[in-house]
Amino acid sequence: QVQLVETGGGLMQAGDSLRLSCSASAGDFSMYAVGWFRQAPGKERELVTAISRSGTSRYYTDSTKDRFTISRENAKNMVYLQMNNMQPEDTAVYYCAAGAIRYDSVLRESHDYHYWGQGTQVTVSP
């Protein structure tokens, strides 16, 4: 079992930067691929970015690749999401998720992530 806790959310103005953190309880965190998801009010949950077990492979969507950066420190059981130039469209609950995988590749499907955090609210004012 893996427990995940997200921290770092809050209120901010458009153009601000923010870093979210995800702390995992796993003894060997390097066994898991990790992803960040978000869910805006009235919308479906969507993948924001993902990172492989070793951190050598990363995935970004067209809307996040220029402003968001995912990273991890396996020795500390930590994953981070750096968000720059925040916009009102980024307002959502952000979730950290982890999934066991045999290969050092990213996971892009939500059903492949077996463990989820409770989420942290990010609100961006115009």
Side-chain angles (χ1 to χ4, degrees):
Q1 293 288 320
V2 178
Q3 292 181 275
L4 304 170
V5 179
E6 305 95 336
T7 58
L11 303 173
M12 66 201 69
Q13 297 290 123
D16 288 350
S17 296
L18 183 69
R19 188 180 77 163
L20 303 182
S21 298
C22 175
S23 178
S25 65
D28 188 0
F29 194 42
S30 66
M31 296 294 294
Y32 301 91
V34 176
W36 283 98
F37 293 78
R38 68 184 180 187
Q39 187 166 21
K43 293 187 176 181
E44 297 297 319
R45 183 179 61 199
E46 64 175 348
L47 176 67
V48 176
T49 180
I51 191 168
S52 64
R53 290 167 53 180
S54 69
T56 59
S57 182
R58 301 174 183 180
Y59 171 82
Y60 299 95
T61 66
D62 288 339
S63 63
T64 62
K65 63 181 181 181
D66 295 325
R67 300 184 295 118
F68 291 10
T69 302
I70 188 172
S71 61
R72 67 189 297 168
E73 294 183 79
N74 288 337
K76 297 181 179 179
N77 285 13
M78 296 291 293
V79 178
Y80 308 98
L81 176 61
Q82 178 67 45
M83 301 183 287
N84 298 323
N85 191 24
M86 298 292 290
Q87 299 298 313
E89 312 91 83
D90 297 319
T91 295
V93 176
Y94 284 72
Y95 299 90
C96 177
I101 185 172
R102 291 179 179 271
Y103 309 103
D104 191 21
S105 60
V106 298
L107 294 174
R108 302 183 183 183
E109 302 294 333
S110 61
H111 69 264
D112 288 326
Y113 290 95
H114 304 134
Y115 307 99
W116 295 79
Q118 293 180 300
T120 183
Q121 177 70 48
V122 174
T123 302
V124 185
S125 300

